[in-house]
Amino acid sequence: MTVATLTVSDDEADIRLDRWFRRHFPGVPQSAIQKLCRTGQVRVDGRRAEAATRLTSGQAVRIPPLPPAPPPLKPAPTVNPAATREIEAMILYQDDHLIVLNKPYGLAVQGGPGISRHVDGMLEGLRTPGGDRPRLVHRLDRDTTGLLLIARTAGSAAKLAAAFRGRDMEKTYWAVVAGRPVPVEGEIDLPLKRIGGERGERTAPAERDDEDAARAITEYRTLDHAARKLSWLELKPHTGRTHQLRVHCVAIRAPILGDVKYARPDQNNAFAATVAGLSEKMHLHARALVFPHPGGGVMRVEADLPPHMAETFQTLGFSAPPAHQPRRDGR
């Protein structure tokens, strides 16, 4: 292969250079891409560029001579028809850029030790003919229900991931908690860190000067309560730390129903009494997302409650409005 120049397409904007390179030349290993960048053989608009450089539409990427023999192609992934039917039933909205799912309780988003059934493993069934394999852009805990965004293309994945990293993704969760927060609304600004423990790695509050801590901010509002023993909270995380909402609810002495991992010992009696007669599943639901659509405009989506939370709402007399239909404004 001689020296060539390729132009970054609109759909490839905001992709890292190394990922863009692997997309066009899948046989070139990451180590080789990094060396080509480090030695200046790969250039963007005539300038040296690091492997992590994010590209913009219209840029010219210089491609040097590459090894002629790519490794053998991987066998085509198989599609499980039952899994495809299952994930198709979760779809709330889809277009050429993205898919919005309403994830049920108990379904993991990605695989891991002892996890063979997960959303990521079902995505091959949503591939369109000649299209990319859909890909995850964020995660929910296995026991958290609600909205999960899937990107159909690499370009859409990069734009959605950037929205999650910044302040362009407005997230709203609903939770049923034990007790009633005081005050009934406010902002929780409590740093968090990941630690080891008897039940595995977990998230814990941290001191502000702890070098392992990450700032975590959650806005909360009490939407209703039942005799001050149970409350329906609206939670809006302004940061995206692991288990942030679960730990922040414990911090205001309002643990989420069903979240036995994080309820503190001094909350156990009230917590156990509260959940008697109600579902033991975790009551945390990703209700709404407002974000820039990769194709332009603003996307607004909502997800109805899962069956166990809907039953709890009915038992407690909480009146939840039905989810609005997805809409895309300002295209």
Side-chain angles (χ1 to χ4, degrees):
M1 174 181 175
T2 59
V3 174
T5 300
L6 297 181
T7 302
V8 179
S9 68
D10 291 343
D11 187 55
E12 294 170 332
D14 207 36
I15 299 177
R16 283 171 51 121
L17 174 58
D18 53 357
R19 293 173 184 166
W20 178 92
F21 205 100
R22 288 200 303 272
R23 184 180 187 186
H24 288 273
F25 306 98
V28 181
Q30 177 71 13
S31 58
I33 297 172
Q34 291 175 330
K35 182 177 180 180
L36 291 171
C37 292
R38 188 170 60 251
T39 57
Q41 297 181 67
V42 172
R43 291 177 176 257
V44 177
D45 286 344
R47 300 183 182 88
R48 286 175 175 262
E50 297 180 355
T53 298
R54 292 195 176 271
L55 302 173
T56 59
S57 176
Q59 285 187 311
V61 182
R62 177 188 185 274
I63 309 298
L66 301 174
L73 295 175
K74 295 181 180 179
T78 58
V79 175
N80 182 327
T84 298
R85 289 193 296 272
E86 182 180 1
I87 196 168
E88 285 177 340
M90 304 176 203
I91 295 175
L92 296 178
Y93 173 86
Q94 59 180 324
D95 59 28
D96 293 340
H97 300 272
L98 57 86
I99 304 167
V100 184
L101 304 180
N102 185 2
K103 188 188 82 67
Y105 174 88
L107 177 63
V109 172
Q110 290 180 296
I115 300 175
S116 58
R117 176 177 166 269
H118 48 84
V119 172
D120 194 38
M122 301 175 178
L123 293 181
E124 185 63 37
L126 299 182
R127 184 200 291 261
T128 57
D132 294 343
R133 180 186 185 276
R135 62 199 72 194
L136 300 168
V137 292
H138 69 124
R139 293 174 297 188
L140 294 176
D141 294 340
R142 181 193 293 198
D143 294 342
T144 299
T145 61
L147 295 171
L148 185 68
L149 294 187
I150 308 295
R152 281 203 179 275
T153 68
S156 294
K159 291 175 182 177
L160 292 171
F164 274 104
R165 288 195 303 270
R167 300 295 293 270
D168 295 330
M169 184 73 62
E170 182 181 322
K171 299 169 282 186
T172 301
Y173 289 74
W174 282 354
V176 179
V177 301
R180 188 183 183 197
V182 178
V184 295
E185 62 181 272
E187 183 180 275
I188 308 164
D189 186 350
L190 177 65
L192 302 174
K193 66 179 179 180
R194 297 290 282 168
I195 60 173
E198 295 180 358
R199 290 181 286 181
E201 193 175 16
R202 48 197 280 118
T203 299
E207 299 296 331
R208 296 189 184 278
D209 58 355
D210 190 328
E211 62 180 13
D212 295 325
R215 191 176 188 191
I217 301 173
T218 301
E219 180 185 343
Y220 74 92
R221 182 165 65 104
T222 304
L223 299 180
D224 204 348
H225 65 94
R228 298 182 180 273
K229 293 184 179 295
L230 289 155
S231 298
W232 166 20
L233 298 189
E234 176 187 82
L235 303 167
K236 293 192 173 187
H238 296 307
T239 51
R241 313 305 175 199
T242 301
H243 297 172
Q244 173 177 321
L245 299 182
R246 298 165 66 176
V247 177
H248 275 181
C249 282
V250 169
I252 60 173
R253 300 188 61 80
I256 298 172
L257 252 63
D259 188 9
V260 295
K261 181 180 179 75
Y262 285 108
R264 295 200 305 253
D266 63 338
Q267 296 169 329
N268 280 351
N269 291 339
F271 189 74
T274 298
V275 300
L278 299 177
S279 171
E280 295 182 358
K281 296 177 180 178
M282 189 161 72
H283 287 58
L284 180 61
H285 178 66
R287 166 66 174 184
L289 288 172
V290 180
F291 58 93
H293 189 284
V298 176
M299 190 76 201
R300 303 172 188 274
V301 288
E302 293 182 351
D304 281 322
L305 292 169
H308 72 281
M309 286 187 67
E311 183 178 349
T312 295
F313 270 51
Q314 184 176 9
T315 299
L316 300 177
F318 296 160
S319 180
H324 288 103
Q325 290 296 311
R327 76 176 193 269
R328 183 178 166 190
D329 301 326
R331 279 181 283 181

